[in-house]
PDB file of all heavy atoms in Angstrom:
ATOM      1  N   LEU A 171       6.668 -10.497  10.597  1.00  0.00           N
ATOM      2  CA  LEU A 171       6.773 -11.925  10.839  1.00  0.00           C
ATOM      3  C   LEU A 171       7.360 -12.239  12.227  1.00  0.00           C
ATOM      4  O   LEU A 171       8.171 -11.491  12.730  1.00  0.00           O
ATOM      5  CB  LEU A 171       7.646 -12.591   9.747  1.00  0.00           C
ATOM      6  CG  LEU A 171       7.198 -12.408   8.283  1.00  0.00           C
ATOM      7  CD1 LEU A 171       8.213 -13.021   7.353  1.00  0.00           C
ATOM      8  CD2 LEU A 171       5.815 -12.967   8.080  1.00  0.00           C
ATOM      9  N   GLU A 172       6.931 -13.368  12.753  1.00  0.00           N
ATOM     10  CA  GLU A 172       7.491 -13.858  14.009  1.00  0.00           C
ATOM     11  C   GLU A 172       8.915 -14.419  13.767  1.00  0.00           C
ATOM     12  O   GLU A 172       9.186 -14.832  12.605  1.00  0.00           O
ATOM     13  CB  GLU A 172       6.618 -14.976  14.601  1.00  0.00           C
ATOM     14  CG  GLU A 172       5.255 -14.475  15.150  1.00  0.00           C
ATOM     15  CD  GLU A 172       5.376 -13.848  16.523  1.00  0.00           C
ATOM     16  OE1 GLU A 172       6.513 -13.557  16.988  1.00  0.00           O
ATOM     17  OE2 GLU A 172       4.299 -13.616  17.111  1.00  0.00           O
ATOM     18  N   GLU A 173       9.715 -14.464  14.780  1.00  0.00           N
ATOM     19  CA  GLU A 173      11.014 -15.062  14.663  1.00  0.00           C
ATOM     20  C   GLU A 173      10.886 -16.510  14.207  1.00  0.00           C
ATOM     21  O   GLU A 173       9.987 -17.200  14.632  1.00  0.00           O
ATOM     22  CB  GLU A 173      11.704 -15.003  16.049  1.00  0.00           C
ATOM     23  CG  GLU A 173      13.194 -15.187  16.002  1.00  0.00           C
ATOM     24  CD  GLU A 173      13.880 -14.856  17.336  1.00  0.00           C
ATOM     25  OE1 GLU A 173      13.209 -14.328  18.234  1.00  0.00           O
ATOM     26  OE2 GLU A 173      15.048 -15.184  17.449  1.00  0.00           O
ATOM     27  N   PRO A 174      11.735 -17.014  13.296  1.00  0.00           N
ATOM     28  CA  PRO A 174      12.953 -16.397  12.734  1.00  0.00           C
ATOM     29  C   PRO A 174      12.744 -15.521  11.501  1.00  0.00           C
ATOM     30  O   PRO A 174      13.685 -15.338  10.731  1.00  0.00           O
ATOM     31  CB  PRO A 174      13.763 -17.637  12.418  1.00  0.00           C
ATOM     32  CG  PRO A 174      12.779 -18.664  12.008  1.00  0.00           C
ATOM     33  CD  PRO A 174      11.547 -18.416  12.854  1.00  0.00           C
ATOM     34  N   PHE A 175      11.578 -14.981  11.327  1.00  0.00           N
ATOM     35  CA  PHE A 175      11.316 -13.920  10.351  1.00  0.00           C
ATOM     36  C   PHE A 175      11.420 -14.364   8.908  1.00  0.00           C
ATOM     37  O   PHE A 175      11.717 -13.565   8.014  1.00  0.00           O
ATOM     38  CB  PHE A 175      12.282 -12.752  10.542  1.00  0.00           C
ATOM     39  CG  PHE A 175      12.435 -12.337  11.991  1.00  0.00           C
ATOM     40  CD1 PHE A 175      13.679 -12.509  12.639  1.00  0.00           C
ATOM     41  CD2 PHE A 175      11.400 -11.785  12.687  1.00  0.00           C
ATOM     42  CE1 PHE A 175      13.831 -12.130  13.947  1.00  0.00           C
ATOM     43  CE2 PHE A 175      11.552 -11.403  14.049  1.00  0.00           C
ATOM     44  CZ  PHE A 175      12.779 -11.614  14.652  1.00  0.00           C
ATOM     45  N   ASN A 176      11.107 -15.645   8.621  1.00  0.00           N
ATOM     46  CA  ASN A 176      11.192 -16.101   7.239  1.00  0.00           C
ATOM     47  C   ASN A 176      10.002 -16.919   6.764  1.00  0.00           C
ATOM     48  O   ASN A 176       9.892 -17.262   5.608  1.00  0.00           O
ATOM     49  CB  ASN A 176      12.462 -16.916   6.986  1.00  0.00           C
ATOM     50  CG  ASN A 176      12.630 -18.066   7.960  1.00  0.00           C
ATOM     51  OD1 ASN A 176      11.694 -18.481   8.635  1.00  0.00           O
ATOM     52  ND2 ASN A 176      13.875 -18.551   8.058  1.00  0.00           N
ATOM     53  N   ASP A 177       9.067 -17.235   7.700  1.00  0.00           N
ATOM     54  CA  ASP A 177       7.830 -17.982   7.323  1.00  0.00           C
ATOM     55  C   ASP A 177       6.744 -16.957   7.116  1.00  0.00           C
ATOM     56  O   ASP A 177       6.251 -16.339   8.104  1.00  0.00           O
ATOM     57  CB  ASP A 177       7.474 -18.967   8.444  1.00  0.00           C
ATOM     58  CG  ASP A 177       6.221 -19.782   8.128  1.00  0.00           C
ATOM     59  OD1 ASP A 177       5.593 -19.513   7.101  1.00  0.00           O
ATOM     60  OD2 ASP A 177       5.886 -20.672   8.964  1.00  0.00           O
ATOM     61  N   ILE A 178       6.280 -16.761   5.879  1.00  0.00           N
ATOM     62  CA  ILE A 178       5.323 -15.679   5.603  1.00  0.00           C
ATOM     63  C   ILE A 178       3.970 -15.925   6.232  1.00  0.00           C
ATOM     64  O   ILE A 178       3.126 -14.988   6.274  1.00  0.00           O
ATOM     65  CB  ILE A 178       5.186 -15.456   4.078  1.00  0.00           C
ATOM     66  CG1 ILE A 178       4.569 -16.645   3.361  1.00  0.00           C
ATOM     67  CG2 ILE A 178       6.536 -15.103   3.458  1.00  0.00           C
ATOM     68  CD1 ILE A 178       4.186 -16.341   1.941  1.00  0.00           C
ATOM     69  N   LYS A 179       3.715 -17.151   6.720  1.00  0.00           N
ATOM     70  CA  LYS A 179       2.402 -17.434   7.346  1.00  0.00           C
ATOM     71  C   LYS A 179       2.468 -17.246   8.850  1.00  0.00           C
ATOM     72  O   LYS A 179       1.451 -17.247   9.540  1.00  0.00           O
ATOM     73  CB  LYS A 179       1.956 -18.862   7.008  1.00  0.00           C
ATOM     74  CG  LYS A 179       1.619 -19.024   5.549  1.00  0.00           C
ATOM     75  CD  LYS A 179       1.153 -20.434   5.266  1.00  0.00           C
ATOM     76  CE  LYS A 179       0.812 -20.643   3.785  1.00  0.00           C
ATOM     77  NZ  LYS A 179       0.385 -22.030   3.490  1.00  0.00           N
ATOM     78  N   ASN A 180       3.685 -17.142   9.382  1.00  0.00           N
ATOM     79  CA  ASN A 180       3.861 -17.022  10.845  1.00  0.00           C
ATOM     80  C   ASN A 180       3.919 -15.525  11.177  1.00  0.00           C
ATOM     81  O   ASN A 180       4.981 -14.921  11.327  1.00  0.00           O
ATOM     82  CB  ASN A 180       5.164 -17.698  11.258  1.00  0.00           C
ATOM     83  CG  ASN A 180       5.287 -17.788  12.767  1.00  0.00           C
ATOM     84  OD1 ASN A 180       4.317 -17.612  13.548  1.00  0.00           O
ATOM     85  ND2 ASN A 180       6.490 -18.082  13.255  1.00  0.00           N
ATOM     86  N   ILE A 181       2.738 -14.926  11.331  1.00  0.00           N
ATOM     87  CA  ILE A 181       2.613 -13.481  11.438  1.00  0.00           C
ATOM     88  C   ILE A 181       2.399 -13.064  12.878  1.00  0.00           C
ATOM     89  O   ILE A 181       1.667 -13.716  13.646  1.00  0.00           O
ATOM     90  CB  ILE A 181       1.408 -12.993  10.553  1.00  0.00           C
ATOM     91  CG1 ILE A 181       1.738 -13.310   9.087  1.00  0.00           C
ATOM     92  CG2 ILE A 181       1.160 -11.481  10.736  1.00  0.00           C
ATOM     93  CD1 ILE A 181       0.534 -13.113   8.162  1.00  0.00           C
ATOM     94  N   LYS A 182       3.024 -11.981  13.273  1.00  0.00           N
ATOM     95  CA  LYS A 182       2.878 -11.435  14.627  1.00  0.00           C
ATOM     96  C   LYS A 182       1.418 -11.126  14.903  1.00  0.00           C
ATOM     97  O   LYS A 182       0.721 -10.628  14.041  1.00  0.00           O
ATOM     98  CB  LYS A 182       3.741 -10.170  14.821  1.00  0.00           C
ATOM     99  CG  LYS A 182       5.228 -10.439  14.759  1.00  0.00           C
ATOM    100  CD  LYS A 182       5.994  -9.128  14.777  1.00  0.00           C
ATOM    101  CE  LYS A 182       7.516  -9.380  14.573  1.00  0.00           C
ATOM    102  NZ  LYS A 182       8.286  -8.113  14.442  1.00  0.00           N
ATOM    103  N   LYS A 183       1.005 -11.337  16.134  1.00  0.00           N
ATOM    104  CA  LYS A 183      -0.432 -11.146  16.513  1.00  0.00           C
ATOM    105  C   LYS A 183      -0.912  -9.734  16.212  1.00  0.00           C
ATOM    106  O   LYS A 183      -1.997  -9.549  15.685  1.00  0.00           O
ATOM    107  CB  LYS A 183      -0.593 -11.432  18.002  1.00  0.00           C
ATOM    108  CG  LYS A 183      -2.024 -11.395  18.457  1.00  0.00           C
ATOM    109  CD  LYS A 183      -2.127 -11.741  19.958  1.00  0.00           C
ATOM    110  CE  LYS A 183      -3.556 -11.649  20.442  1.00  0.00           C
ATOM    111  NZ  LYS A 183      -3.676 -11.991  21.874  1.00  0.00           N
ATOM    112  N   SER A 184      -0.080  -8.715  16.495  1.00  0.00           N
ATOM    113  CA  SER A 184      -0.522  -7.356  16.299  1.00  0.00           C
ATOM    114  C   SER A 184      -0.723  -7.089  14.818  1.00  0.00           C
ATOM    115  O   SER A 184      -1.617  -6.330  14.440  1.00  0.00           O
ATOM    116  CB  SER A 184       0.541  -6.359  16.852  1.00  0.00           C
ATOM    117  OG  SER A 184       1.803  -6.551  16.202  1.00  0.00           O
ATOM    118  N   TYR A 185       0.077  -7.713  13.924  1.00  0.00           N
ATOM    119  CA  TYR A 185      -0.083  -7.503  12.494  1.00  0.00           C
ATOM    120  C   TYR A 185      -1.252  -8.261  11.950  1.00  0.00           C
ATOM    121  O   TYR A 185      -1.918  -7.810  11.006  1.00  0.00           O
ATOM    122  CB  TYR A 185       1.218  -7.908  11.778  1.00  0.00           C
ATOM    123  CG  TYR A 185       2.222  -6.826  11.774  1.00  0.00           C
ATOM    124  CD1 TYR A 185       3.262  -6.865  12.719  1.00  0.00           C
ATOM    125  CD2 TYR A 185       2.197  -5.803  10.845  1.00  0.00           C
ATOM    126  CE1 TYR A 185       4.224  -5.851  12.719  1.00  0.00           C
ATOM    127  CE2 TYR A 185       3.153  -4.818  10.854  1.00  0.00           C
ATOM    128  CZ  TYR A 185       4.177  -4.850  11.778  1.00  0.00           C
ATOM    129  OH  TYR A 185       5.108  -3.846  11.806  1.00  0.00           O
ATOM    130  N   LYS A 186      -1.575  -9.435  12.544  1.00  0.00           N
ATOM    131  CA  LYS A 186      -2.766 -10.172  12.123  1.00  0.00           C
ATOM    132  C   LYS A 186      -3.996  -9.277  12.318  1.00  0.00           C
ATOM    133  O   LYS A 186      -4.830  -9.189  11.437  1.00  0.00           O
ATOM    134  CB  LYS A 186      -2.947 -11.461  12.948  1.00  0.00           C
ATOM    135  CG  LYS A 186      -2.020 -12.584  12.537  1.00  0.00           C
ATOM    136  CD  LYS A 186      -2.295 -13.809  13.402  1.00  0.00           C
ATOM    137  CE  LYS A 186      -1.389 -14.951  13.019  1.00  0.00           C
ATOM    138  NZ  LYS A 186      -1.631 -16.124  13.878  1.00  0.00           N
ATOM    139  N   THR A 187      -4.078  -8.663  13.469  1.00  0.00           N
ATOM    140  CA  THR A 187      -5.182  -7.760  13.760  1.00  0.00           C
ATOM    141  C   THR A 187      -5.246  -6.625  12.748  1.00  0.00           C
ATOM    142  O   THR A 187      -6.313  -6.289  12.218  1.00  0.00           O
ATOM    143  CB  THR A 187      -5.061  -7.169  15.201  1.00  0.00           C
ATOM    144  OG1 THR A 187      -4.993  -8.247  16.129  1.00  0.00           O
ATOM    145  CG2 THR A 187      -6.255  -6.311  15.541  1.00  0.00           C
ATOM    146  N   LEU A 188      -4.076  -6.060  12.478  1.00  0.00           N
ATOM    147  CA  LEU A 188      -4.023  -4.932  11.498  1.00  0.00           C
ATOM    148  C   LEU A 188      -4.508  -5.344  10.128  1.00  0.00           C
ATOM    149  O   LEU A 188      -5.345  -4.697   9.542  1.00  0.00           O
ATOM    150  CB  LEU A 188      -2.591  -4.411  11.443  1.00  0.00           C
ATOM    151  CG  LEU A 188      -2.305  -3.431  10.289  1.00  0.00           C
ATOM    152  CD1 LEU A 188      -3.110  -2.152  10.496  1.00  0.00           C
ATOM    153  CD2 LEU A 188      -0.823  -3.127  10.200  1.00  0.00           C
ATOM    154  N   PHE A 189      -3.970  -6.417   9.589  1.00  0.00           N
ATOM    155  CA  PHE A 189      -4.320  -6.845   8.228  1.00  0.00           C
ATOM    156  C   PHE A 189      -5.756  -7.286   8.140  1.00  0.00           C
ATOM    157  O   PHE A 189      -6.422  -7.096   7.115  1.00  0.00           O
ATOM    158  CB  PHE A 189      -3.379  -7.970   7.759  1.00  0.00           C
ATOM    159  CG  PHE A 189      -1.917  -7.510   7.679  1.00  0.00           C
ATOM    160  CD1 PHE A 189      -0.886  -8.378   8.094  1.00  0.00           C
ATOM    161  CD2 PHE A 189      -1.574  -6.281   7.165  1.00  0.00           C
ATOM    162  CE1 PHE A 189       0.407  -7.970   8.055  1.00  0.00           C
ATOM    163  CE2 PHE A 189      -0.286  -5.882   7.099  1.00  0.00           C
ATOM    164  CZ  PHE A 189       0.750  -6.740   7.518  1.00  0.00           C
ATOM    165  N   GLU A 190      -6.271  -7.888   9.215  1.00  0.00           N
ATOM    166  CA  GLU A 190      -7.659  -8.329   9.207  1.00  0.00           C
ATOM    167  C   GLU A 190      -8.627  -7.141   9.281  1.00  0.00           C
ATOM    168  O   GLU A 190      -9.776  -7.228   8.836  1.00  0.00           O
ATOM    169  CB  GLU A 190      -7.925  -9.240  10.380  1.00  0.00           C
ATOM    170  CG  GLU A 190      -7.337 -10.631  10.186  1.00  0.00           C
ATOM    171  CD  GLU A 190      -7.232 -11.446  11.461  1.00  0.00           C
ATOM    172  OE1 GLU A 190      -7.721 -10.931  12.504  1.00  0.00           O
ATOM    173  OE2 GLU A 190      -6.711 -12.593  11.445  1.00  0.00           O
ATOM    174  N   GLN A 191      -8.142  -6.002   9.801  1.00  0.00           N
ATOM    175  CA  GLN A 191      -8.964  -4.780   9.896  1.00  0.00           C
ATOM    176  C   GLN A 191      -8.611  -3.738   8.856  1.00  0.00           C
ATOM    177  O   GLN A 191      -9.042  -2.605   8.949  1.00  0.00           O
ATOM    178  CB  GLN A 191      -8.838  -4.179  11.309  1.00  0.00           C
ATOM    179  CG  GLN A 191      -9.377  -5.099  12.410  1.00  0.00           C
ATOM    180  CD  GLN A 191      -9.215  -4.468  13.807  1.00  0.00           C
ATOM    181  OE1 GLN A 191      -8.170  -3.906  14.119  1.00  0.00           O
ATOM    182  NE2 GLN A 191     -10.253  -4.584  14.627  1.00  0.00           N
ATOM    183  N   ALA A 192      -7.860  -4.148   7.850  1.00  0.00           N
ATOM    184  CA  ALA A 192      -7.379  -3.205   6.814  1.00  0.00           C
ATOM    185  C   ALA A 192      -8.536  -2.524   6.124  1.00  0.00           C
ATOM    186  O   ALA A 192      -8.410  -1.398   5.609  1.00  0.00           O
ATOM    187  CB  ALA A 192      -6.536  -3.925   5.810  1.00  0.00           C
ATOM    188  N   LYS A 193      -9.705  -3.187   6.054  1.00  0.00           N
ATOM    189  CA  LYS A 193     -10.880  -2.580   5.368  1.00  0.00           C
ATOM    190  C   LYS A 193     -11.330  -1.295   6.039  1.00  0.00           C
ATOM    191  O   LYS A 193     -12.010  -0.455   5.449  1.00  0.00           O
ATOM    192  CB  LYS A 193     -12.052  -3.563   5.312  1.00  0.00           C
ATOM    193  CG  LYS A 193     -12.548  -4.053   6.652  1.00  0.00           C
ATOM    194  CD  LYS A 193     -13.706  -5.053   6.504  1.00  0.00           C
ATOM    195  CE  LYS A 193     -14.265  -5.510   7.846  1.00  0.00           C
ATOM    196  NZ  LYS A 193     -13.300  -6.306   8.600  1.00  0.00           N
ATOM    197  N   GLU A 194     -10.986  -1.126   7.345  1.00  0.00           N
ATOM    198  CA  GLU A 194     -11.353   0.111   8.054  1.00  0.00           C
ATOM    199  C   GLU A 194     -10.355   1.250   7.833  1.00  0.00           C
ATOM    200  O   GLU A 194     -10.596   2.342   8.311  1.00  0.00           O
ATOM    201  CB  GLU A 194     -11.442  -0.168   9.545  1.00  0.00           C
ATOM    202  CG  GLU A 194     -12.503  -1.253   9.915  1.00  0.00           C
ATOM    203  CD  GLU A 194     -12.560  -1.522  11.400  1.00  0.00           C
ATOM    204  OE1 GLU A 194     -12.369  -0.566  12.192  1.00  0.00           O
ATOM    205  OE2 GLU A 194     -12.776  -2.698  11.794  1.00  0.00           O
ATOM    206  N   LEU A 195      -9.299   0.981   7.066  1.00  0.00           N
ATOM    207  CA  LEU A 195      -8.267   1.979   6.776  1.00  0.00           C
ATOM    208  C   LEU A 195      -8.414   2.422   5.345  1.00  0.00           C
ATOM    209  O   LEU A 195      -9.063   1.765   4.514  1.00  0.00           O
ATOM    210  CB  LEU A 195      -6.909   1.412   7.020  1.00  0.00           C
ATOM    211  CG  LEU A 195      -6.608   0.861   8.450  1.00  0.00           C
ATOM    212  CD1 LEU A 195      -5.274   0.164   8.480  1.00  0.00           C
ATOM    213  CD2 LEU A 195      -6.674   1.984   9.465  1.00  0.00           C
ATOM    214  N   ASP A 196      -7.835   3.558   5.027  1.00  0.00           N
ATOM    215  CA  ASP A 196      -7.796   4.057   3.646  1.00  0.00           C
ATOM    216  C   ASP A 196      -6.593   3.531   2.873  1.00  0.00           C
ATOM    217  O   ASP A 196      -6.699   3.240   1.686  1.00  0.00           O
ATOM    218  CB  ASP A 196      -7.824   5.600   3.634  1.00  0.00           C
ATOM    219  CG  ASP A 196      -9.130   6.130   4.176  1.00  0.00           C
ATOM    220  OD1 ASP A 196     -10.094   6.157   3.441  1.00  0.00           O
ATOM    221  OD2 ASP A 196      -9.145   6.499   5.357  1.00  0.00           O
ATOM    222  N   LYS A 197      -5.455   3.404   3.530  1.00  0.00           N
ATOM    223  CA  LYS A 197      -4.284   2.864   2.893  1.00  0.00           C
ATOM    224  C   LYS A 197      -3.354   2.201   3.902  1.00  0.00           C
ATOM    225  O   LYS A 197      -3.294   2.603   5.076  1.00  0.00           O
ATOM    226  CB  LYS A 197      -3.459   3.955   2.185  1.00  0.00           C
ATOM    227  CG  LYS A 197      -4.037   4.440   0.822  1.00  0.00           C
ATOM    228  CD  LYS A 197      -3.910   3.368  -0.255  1.00  0.00           C
ATOM    229  CE  LYS A 197      -4.504   3.836  -1.559  1.00  0.00           C
ATOM    230  NZ  LYS A 197      -4.466   2.767  -2.596  1.00  0.00           N
ATOM    231  N   VAL A 198      -2.653   1.173   3.459  1.00  0.00           N
ATOM    232  CA  VAL A 198      -1.581   0.547   4.215  1.00  0.00           C
ATOM    233  C   VAL A 198      -0.313   0.696   3.396  1.00  0.00           C
ATOM    234  O   VAL A 198      -0.289   0.206   2.253  1.00  0.00           O
ATOM    235  CB  VAL A 198      -1.820  -0.902   4.570  1.00  0.00           C
ATOM    236  CG1 VAL A 198      -0.656  -1.533   5.270  1.00  0.00           C
ATOM    237  CG2 VAL A 198      -3.090  -1.073   5.409  1.00  0.00           C
ATOM    238  N   VAL A 199       0.684   1.396   3.885  1.00  0.00           N
ATOM    239  CA  VAL A 199       1.899   1.670   3.111  1.00  0.00           C
ATOM    240  C   VAL A 199       3.045   0.737   3.556  1.00  0.00           C
ATOM    241  O   VAL A 199       3.415   0.742   4.727  1.00  0.00           O
ATOM    242  CB  VAL A 199       2.333   3.159   3.279  1.00  0.00           C
ATOM    243  CG1 VAL A 199       3.629   3.453   2.528  1.00  0.00           C
ATOM    244  CG2 VAL A 199       1.212   4.100   2.872  1.00  0.00           C
ATOM    245  N   PHE A 200       3.595  -0.007   2.569  1.00  0.00           N
ATOM    246  CA  PHE A 200       4.760  -0.832   2.837  1.00  0.00           C
ATOM    247  C   PHE A 200       5.965  -0.110   2.309  1.00  0.00           C
ATOM    248  O   PHE A 200       5.869   0.722   1.395  1.00  0.00           O
ATOM    249  CB  PHE A 200       4.594  -2.209   2.145  1.00  0.00           C
ATOM    250  CG  PHE A 200       3.449  -3.022   2.682  1.00  0.00           C
ATOM    251  CD1 PHE A 200       2.218  -2.981   2.076  1.00  0.00           C
ATOM    252  CD2 PHE A 200       3.646  -3.883   3.743  1.00  0.00           C
ATOM    253  CE1 PHE A 200       1.179  -3.751   2.562  1.00  0.00           C
ATOM    254  CE2 PHE A 200       2.637  -4.698   4.223  1.00  0.00           C
ATOM    255  CZ  PHE A 200       1.350  -4.606   3.657  1.00  0.00           C
ATOM    256  N   LEU A 201       7.141  -0.513   2.785  1.00  0.00           N
ATOM    257  CA  LEU A 201       8.369   0.109   2.329  1.00  0.00           C
ATOM    258  C   LEU A 201       9.064  -0.706   1.199  1.00  0.00           C
ATOM    259  O   LEU A 201       9.914  -0.156   0.534  1.00  0.00           O
ATOM    260  CB  LEU A 201       9.352   0.281   3.511  1.00  0.00           C
ATOM    261  CG  LEU A 201       8.827   1.091   4.695  1.00  0.00           C
ATOM    262  CD1 LEU A 201       9.904   1.175   5.801  1.00  0.00           C
ATOM    263  CD2 LEU A 201       8.433   2.486   4.278  1.00  0.00           C
ATOM    264  N   THR A 202       8.686  -1.949   1.087  1.00  0.00           N
ATOM    265  CA  THR A 202       9.280  -2.771   0.019  1.00  0.00           C
ATOM    266  C   THR A 202       8.216  -3.600  -0.703  1.00  0.00           C
ATOM    267  O   THR A 202       7.195  -3.972  -0.112  1.00  0.00           O
ATOM    268  CB  THR A 202      10.333  -3.768   0.596  1.00  0.00           C
ATOM    269  OG1 THR A 202       9.676  -4.697   1.425  1.00  0.00           O
ATOM    270  CG2 THR A 202      11.430  -3.001   1.383  1.00  0.00           C
ATOM    271  N   ASP A 203       8.494  -3.916  -1.975  1.00  0.00           N
ATOM    272  CA  ASP A 203       7.614  -4.779  -2.736  1.00  0.00           C
ATOM    273  C   ASP A 203       7.542  -6.166  -2.162  1.00  0.00           C
ATOM    274  O   ASP A 203       6.458  -6.763  -2.136  1.00  0.00           O
ATOM    275  CB  ASP A 203       8.089  -4.848  -4.225  1.00  0.00           C
ATOM    276  CG  ASP A 203       7.842  -3.524  -4.945  1.00  0.00           C
ATOM    277  OD1 ASP A 203       6.738  -3.043  -4.903  1.00  0.00           O
ATOM    278  OD2 ASP A 203       8.810  -3.050  -5.571  1.00  0.00           O
ATOM    279  N   GLU A 204       8.680  -6.677  -1.660  1.00  0.00           N
ATOM    280  CA  GLU A 204       8.726  -8.015  -1.145  1.00  0.00           C
ATOM    281  C   GLU A 204       7.771  -8.205   0.021  1.00  0.00           C
ATOM    282  O   GLU A 204       7.027  -9.208   0.128  1.00  0.00           O
ATOM    283  CB  GLU A 204      10.158  -8.385  -0.717  1.00  0.00           C
ATOM    284  CG  GLU A 204      10.277  -9.833  -0.260  1.00  0.00           C
ATOM    285  CD  GLU A 204      11.667 -10.130   0.264  1.00  0.00           C
ATOM    286  OE1 GLU A 204      12.485  -9.202   0.439  1.00  0.00           O
ATOM    287  OE2 GLU A 204      11.905 -11.349   0.579  1.00  0.00           O
ATOM    288  N   GLN A 205       7.730  -7.231   0.923  1.00  0.00           N
ATOM    289  CA  GLN A 205       6.863  -7.340   2.117  1.00  0.00           C
ATOM    290  C   GLN A 205       5.389  -7.312   1.695  1.00  0.00           C
ATOM    291  O   GLN A 205       4.568  -8.066   2.180  1.00  0.00           O
ATOM    292  CB  GLN A 205       7.151  -6.268   3.138  1.00  0.00           C
ATOM    293  CG  GLN A 205       6.438  -6.495   4.440  1.00  0.00           C
ATOM    294  CD  GLN A 205       6.889  -5.531   5.544  1.00  0.00           C
ATOM    295  OE1 GLN A 205       7.453  -4.476   5.284  1.00  0.00           O
ATOM    296  NE2 GLN A 205       6.585  -5.928   6.809  1.00  0.00           N
ATOM    297  N   LYS A 206       5.061  -6.434   0.816  1.00  0.00           N
ATOM    298  CA  LYS A 206       3.679  -6.297   0.286  1.00  0.00           C
ATOM    299  C   LYS A 206       3.241  -7.647  -0.352  1.00  0.00           C
ATOM    300  O   LYS A 206       2.145  -8.150  -0.105  1.00  0.00           O
ATOM    301  CB  LYS A 206       3.544  -5.178  -0.689  1.00  0.00           C
ATOM    302  CG  LYS A 206       2.202  -5.042  -1.402  1.00  0.00           C
ATOM    303  CD  LYS A 206       2.138  -3.842  -2.279  1.00  0.00           C
ATOM    304  CE  LYS A 206       0.843  -3.757  -3.093  1.00  0.00           C
ATOM    305  NZ  LYS A 206       0.844  -4.707  -4.224  1.00  0.00           N
ATOM    306  N   LYS A 207       4.133  -8.204  -1.181  1.00  0.00           N
ATOM    307  CA  LYS A 207       3.797  -9.475  -1.873  1.00  0.00           C
ATOM    308  C   LYS A 207       3.598 -10.604  -0.840  1.00  0.00           C
ATOM    309  O   LYS A 207       2.693 -11.445  -0.990  1.00  0.00           O
ATOM    310  CB  LYS A 207       4.929  -9.841  -2.823  1.00  0.00           C
ATOM    311  CG  LYS A 207       4.926  -8.960  -4.066  1.00  0.00           C
ATOM    312  CD  LYS A 207       6.124  -9.288  -4.965  1.00  0.00           C
ATOM    313  CE  LYS A 207       6.161  -8.352  -6.169  1.00  0.00           C
ATOM    314  NZ  LYS A 207       7.414  -8.571  -6.972  1.00  0.00           N
ATOM    315  N   ASP A 208       4.447 -10.637   0.196  1.00  0.00           N
ATOM    316  CA  ASP A 208       4.300 -11.657   1.235  1.00  0.00           C
ATOM    317  C   ASP A 208       2.976 -11.556   1.986  1.00  0.00           C
ATOM    318  O   ASP A 208       2.321 -12.595   2.256  1.00  0.00           O
ATOM    319  CB  ASP A 208       5.456 -11.586   2.197  1.00  0.00           C
ATOM    320  CG  ASP A 208       6.759 -12.207   1.682  1.00  0.00           C
ATOM    321  OD1 ASP A 208       6.715 -12.757   0.571  1.00  0.00           O
ATOM    322  OD2 ASP A 208       7.755 -12.115   2.351  1.00  0.00           O
ATOM    323  N   VAL A 209       2.550 -10.349   2.271  1.00  0.00           N
ATOM    324  CA  VAL A 209       1.277 -10.152   2.982  1.00  0.00           C
ATOM    325  C   VAL A 209       0.101 -10.538   2.046  1.00  0.00           C
ATOM    326  O   VAL A 209      -0.831 -11.217   2.491  1.00  0.00           O
ATOM    327  CB  VAL A 209       1.143  -8.696   3.430  1.00  0.00           C
ATOM    328  CG1 VAL A 209      -0.276  -8.451   4.005  1.00  0.00           C
ATOM    329  CG2 VAL A 209       2.154  -8.369   4.513  1.00  0.00           C
ATOM    330  N   GLU A 210       0.206 -10.155   0.767  1.00  0.00           N
ATOM    331  CA  GLU A 210      -0.902 -10.472  -0.138  1.00  0.00           C
ATOM    332  C   GLU A 210      -0.951 -11.978  -0.436  1.00  0.00           C
ATOM    333  O   GLU A 210      -1.996 -12.533  -0.761  1.00  0.00           O
ATOM    334  CB  GLU A 210      -0.709  -9.703  -1.434  1.00  0.00           C
ATOM    335  CG  GLU A 210      -0.988  -8.214  -1.243  1.00  0.00           C
ATOM    336  CD  GLU A 210      -0.957  -7.413  -2.551  1.00  0.00           C
ATOM    337  OE1 GLU A 210      -0.139  -7.768  -3.439  1.00  0.00           O
ATOM    338  OE2 GLU A 210      -1.751  -6.462  -2.683  1.00  0.00           O
ATOM    339  N   ALA A 211       0.194 -12.669  -0.326  1.00  0.00           N
ATOM    340  CA  ALA A 211       0.230 -14.151  -0.520  1.00  0.00           C
ATOM    341  C   ALA A 211      -0.626 -14.824   0.547  1.00  0.00           C
ATOM    342  O   ALA A 211      -1.139 -15.919   0.340  1.00  0.00           O
ATOM    343  CB  ALA A 211       1.646 -14.673  -0.475  1.00  0.00           C
TER     344      ALA A 211
END
């Protein structure tokens, strides 16, 4: 997330590209359930 790191829709540009291209990957590994849930939201 972009600063101040609490708006789940305010995503860093590099991560937007990553999540939009996730179909080209085999897996994306998160370290916490909270972060995975925020991305899936």
Side-chain angles (χ1 to χ4, degrees):
L171 302 176
E172 291 280 12
E173 197 170 350
F175 316 113
N176 54 17
D177 180 354
I178 66 170
K179 293 181 180 178
N180 190 16
I181 297 170
K182 294 173 184 173
K183 185 178 178 181
S184 60
Y185 277 97
K186 283 182 181 178
T187 304
L188 169 65
F189 297 139
E190 288 165 2
Q191 296 179 318
K193 61 180 181 293
E194 298 179 37
L195 303 172
D196 294 280
K197 283 291 179 184
V198 176
V199 178
F200 296 91
L201 303 180
T202 66
D203 288 309
E204 185 185 7
Q205 189 171 20
K206 175 176 174 284
K207 287 175 183 174
D208 281 356
V209 172
E210 289 186 326

